Amino acid sequence: MRILLVSSAFNSLTQRVYTELRAIGHHVGVELALGDDMLRARVMAFQPELILAPMLTTAIPEDIWSAHTVLIVHPGPEGDRGPSSLDWAIHEGAHHWGVTVLQAIDEMDAGPIWASVPFTITACGKSDLYRNEVADAAVEAVLLAVDRFAAGQFKPEPLDYLRPGVLGRHRPYHSQQTRKIDWAADDTRTVLRKLRAADSQPGVLDELYGREYYLHGGHSEDKLRGVPGSVIATRDGSICRATADGAVWLPELRPRRMAGRPTFKLPATDALGSDLPAAIPEIPVTPAMASLRDTWSELRYFEAGAVGYLQFSFPGGAMSTRQCLSLLEAFRQACARPIEVLALGPARDFFSNGIHLNVIEAAEDPARESWLNINAMNDLVEAILTTTDKLVVSVLPGNAAAGGVMLALAADEVWCRESVVLNPHYRLMGLHGSEYWTYTLPRRVGATTAERLTREALPVGARDAAALGLVDRVFPGSADIFWNSIRQQLQELPGTPELANRLMVKKQHRAADELIKPLGAYRSEELAYMRENFLSESYHELRRDFVHKARATRTPSHLLS
Ligand code: COA
């Protein structure tokens, strides 16, 4: 079927729907909703049999929805309406929620229902929930609706609040007034709910040291306590604030105003700068200790038998120079342990999206910071590539892009959750890319496919990635089910002759590859291009647009198939 996806942005859910529909043979076009006339022209040119809107913040014009079936994905259960569905669900502590696919009519979110799929809410930030549980339910609902549409017999159910099971309702915009934290009165659970309902956008507006900031993140803390509202500690760029009965960690802040310039999210201590009193202690936690505690940490490490697990989690999957170096340090420490297998990856959500474009944007010399960041990333990748006495497995419960995909490819095995979307390319940021991708990508998929993937700059779903050889294994289920399967599989490896043989072959291959072309040569060739990129205005413009979330003015040409 010819299906046109109309979306406010080619975001994670739109990419996921795009990969899923293409995988089952549909001809899928994409149009960003940037104006009614542009949309009309695209509909006319594409001649869709069905229009599908995975993420839309504006209305589809009547002449389009009256001439075509237009299905809208709404992140709420049947009957739920309004622009802040997930915010309300998290704010009110709902355990169960849903995604509904409904037909566009003149009233927003009130059209006949084509499919609705429930899901369980996990305690995490809204955008994390959106990229995972919501996306999984949305894809199930979309595929069901598309099947029903294709069958031709299905009559969508008109929205009827008297029908049993229609439990949602219309809710207003979730304003900053509702989000406001009363630090003296709100307990930790309430504070976390407010923070998570606002994460990653728009954040909770609050005041720190006389200035207004949007607070981002929200993680519990088991030990530290202090005067409610006060900042009581820092850790790796994050700040810890006391609540009425405990404390929470805030990894990122966005100043509300900055001398007339647009603002963007930064690690909290960077955003506060010299306003942060020097007396506030930095309270580190080791990755091993963090895995035993209910506290915030970017890194956690634990072992089960001869398998080590190094879990990392960076907001937005972005890895600054500091974060690359601390992961490298933790990786080296894990490699010094008496383990045979090392699993690398987060407990859930993004694996990595490469170098930290916001931190680079905020640097005094962004070109220099880009250089430091890519070199720190390369040091990490090199350490993984040259580990020959252990099997290293990249574990991807969530998406990865650009250098983040190439980071995963440095390992011996790449194991992915079925819902993962990969973007194995750098072109959209005006970069040639490094992370030894010119060694690892063709090694896995062949030179022709590597060239196509990096040139087309399109997302690749997990199953397609497995078919291409980009990933080795794909596992179904939620992040928890996925990790259980991973643990079971990994536990079976140590002590087996297969693993011993695999490690021997790995060592031989690495030595043989080094003779053909040393890793250092790949690195210096890639970095020669990157040096040029970092001096070019187009990279700085593309990065600025990304960091400042500049609205596209037309659908990017690589999506106009
Ligand atoms: N640096 C800084 N922030 C990043 C980032 C990066 N490399 N990659 C993603 N983010 C942030 C986004 O700004 C966004 O922040 P927000 O939640 O405050 O809005 C968040 O992570 C999620 O990204 P978003 O773009 O909303 O998610 P998506 O799933 O729709 O798209 C990507 C994911 C990876 C395709 C897109 O974020 C992207 O293109 N990232 C840049 C990748 C890149 O070029 N890296 C540098 C070269 S190695």
Side-chain angles (χ1 to χ4, degrees):
M1 207 184 333
R2 292 181 70 79
I3 303 178
L4 182 64
L5 300 184
V6 177
S7 208
S8 296
F10 195 49
N11 75 334
S12 55
L13 179 57
T14 312
Q15 295 191 12
R16 174 89 190 281
V17 169
Y18 174 85
T19 59
E20 296 275 351
L21 290 174
R22 276 170 51 122
I24 51 174
H26 294 296
H27 183 91
V28 187
V30 178
E31 179 68 10
L32 300 189
L34 300 170
D36 292 354
D37 286 342
M38 274 194 275
L39 185 54
R40 284 185 188 107
R42 187 69 197 288
V43 169
M44 183 74 86
F46 189 80
Q47 291 290 314
E49 293 162 83
L50 176 66
I51 298 177
L52 197 61
M55 194 279 288
L56 202 57
T57 53
T58 52
I60 300 266
E62 181 172 353
D63 54 304
I64 293 185
W65 59 252
S66 51
H68 299 264
T69 301
V70 178
L71 301 185
I72 311 274
V73 176
H74 176 75
E78 288 187 43
D80 178 81
R81 297 176 58 199
S84 307
S85 295
L86 293 175
D87 309 55
W88 284 111
I90 297 171
H91 183 89
E92 291 174 355
H95 292 293
H96 302 285
W97 203 241
V99 175
T100 304
V101 174
L102 36 86
Q103 192 161 339
I105 56 165
D106 51 356
E107 238 185 310
M108 285 284 252
D109 308 332
I113 294 162
W114 281 79
S116 190
V117 170
F119 67 88
T120 304
I121 293 192
T122 303
C124 64
K126 177 179 58 177
S127 59
D128 178 343
L129 189 73
Y130 180 79
R131 283 186 291 267
N132 294 283
E133 285 78 356
V134 174
D136 288 350
V139 165
E140 197 182 327
V142 162
L143 296 182
L144 193 57
V146 168
D147 275 356
R148 287 172 171 169
F149 177 79
Q153 314 294 332
F154 185 78
K155 289 256 171 305
E157 190 90 48
L159 174 59
D160 174 2
Y161 282 101
L162 298 177
R163 192 157 49 82
V166 180
L167 302 173
R169 62 196 157 94
H170 189 283
R171 292 166 193 259
Y173 176 68
H174 199 91
S175 67
Q176 283 296 341
Q177 219 175 342
T178 316
R179 300 185 196 276
K180 190 163 178 53
I181 295 172
D182 181 344
W183 290 96
D186 286 349
D187 60 12
T188 301
R189 270 185 50 207
T190 308
V191 172
L192 284 177
R193 278 213 305 263
K194 288 182 177 176
L195 288 167
R196 287 171 177 162
D199 192 47
S200 62
Q201 298 295 342
V204 173
L205 186 59
D206 200 3
E207 217 179 272
L208 276 161
Y209 308 113
R211 288 184 214 268
E212 285 184 303
Y213 293 91
Y214 293 95
L215 313 180
H216 292 279
H219 305 269
S220 43
E221 162 58 32
D222 51 6
K223 290 188 177 159
L224 299 171
R225 300 292 178 259
V227 177
S230 62
V231 177
I232 52 179
T234 62
R235 177 180 298 153
D236 296 331
S238 181
I239 55 171
C240 184
R241 270 180 99 174
T243 64
D245 66 344
V248 295
W249 285 96
L250 301 166
E252 295 182 312
L253 299 175
R254 178 165 72 86
R256 187 177 189 194
R257 293 188 190 84
M258 208 162 58
R261 279 178 290 141
T263 66
F264 51 90
K265 257 194 260 177
L266 279 174
T269 55
D270 289 2
L272 289 171
S274 58
D275 284 347
L276 186 70
I280 293 180
E282 170 81 8
I283 302 194
V285 63
T286 63
M289 194 49 85
S291 73
L292 303 172
R293 286 187 48 195
D294 182 15
T295 187
W296 178 80
S297 176
E298 290 173 336
L299 303 171
R300 296 188 133 74
Y301 180 76
F302 55 92
E303 289 173 4
V307 182
Y309 294 87
L310 177 53
Q311 293 192 328
F312 52 89
S313 172
F314 303 112
M319 294 172 64
S320 66
T321 307
R322 180 194 61 73
Q323 287 163 325
C324 292
L325 294 177
S326 57
L327 181 52
L328 173 60
E329 174 62 21
F331 178 79
R332 287 197 174 124
Q333 283 175 10
C335 285
R337 299 281 308 157
I339 53 171
E340 294 174 44
V341 177
L342 178 56
L344 286 179
R348 50 177 286 128
D349 205 17
F350 283 129
F351 179 83
S352 167
N353 287 326
I355 57 176
H356 202 311
L357 300 169
N358 289 34
V359 167
I360 291 170
E361 183 66 21
E364 239 169 70
D365 181 346
R368 184 179 141 72
E369 185 52 39
S370 304
W371 182 254
L372 295 175
N373 201 161
I374 196 63
N375 274 287
M377 195 75 167
N378 281 354
D379 290 345
L380 171 64
V381 173
E382 187 192 349
I384 299 171
L385 284 169
T386 53
T387 298
T388 50
D389 62 339
K390 288 169 185 53
L391 188 79
V392 183
V393 181
S394 288
V395 181
L396 281 72
N399 302 343
V405 177
M406 309 310 171
L407 170 65
L409 302 191
D412 305 299
E413 293 269 327
V414 182
W415 293 3
C416 240
R417 197 163 75 84
E418 163 178 83
S419 316
V420 160
V421 173
L422 302 174
N423 276 285
H425 51 82
Y426 300 84
R427 186 166 72 76
L428 304 180
M429 201 50 65
L431 295 172
H432 170 271
S434 192
E435 290 100 358
Y436 297 87
W437 77 266
T438 52
Y439 172 56
T440 56
L441 188 61
R443 180 175 74 156
R444 279 189 159 264
V445 302
T448 311
T449 304
E451 190 280 327
R452 178 176 65 76
L453 291 172
T454 49
R455 175 177 40 82
E456 285 183 348
L458 290 171
V460 183
R463 279 184 299 267
D464 286 343
L468 291 175
L470 193 58
V471 309
D472 300 289
R473 298 187 61 181
V474 175
F475 296 81
S478 64
D480 282 349
I481 294 173
F482 167 76
W483 265 109
N484 281 339
S485 313
I486 299 286
R487 278 198 207 101
Q488 273 173 19
Q489 299 290 318
L490 292 179
Q491 291 318 119
E492 289 175 8
L493 296 175
T496 59
E498 289 79 21
L499 180 62
N501 187 49
R502 177 91 192 259
L503 292 177
M504 198 180 67
V505 171
K506 171 181 177 176
K507 205 174 273 182
Q508 288 166 352
H509 277 171
R510 178 82 284 286
D513 284 357
E514 191 67 16
L515 280 181
I516 297 167
K517 179 169 174 177
L519 280 181
Y522 288 99
R523 179 170 178 151
S524 51
E525 282 170 17
E526 290 170 3
L527 287 179
Y529 284 108
M530 289 294 263
R531 190 188 294 275
E532 290 297 311
N533 293 156
F534 294 155
L535 293 174
S536 123
E537 192 43 40
S538 80
Y539 158 64
H540 295 287
E541 262 173 32
L542 287 165
R543 191 196 59 242
R544 253 193 310 272
D545 284 352
F546 177 82
V547 168
H548 293 297
K549 304 190 188 304
R551 199 172 126 89
T553 49
R554 58 189 170 80
T555 303
S557 54
H558 72 287
L559 299 179
L560 296 174
S561 59

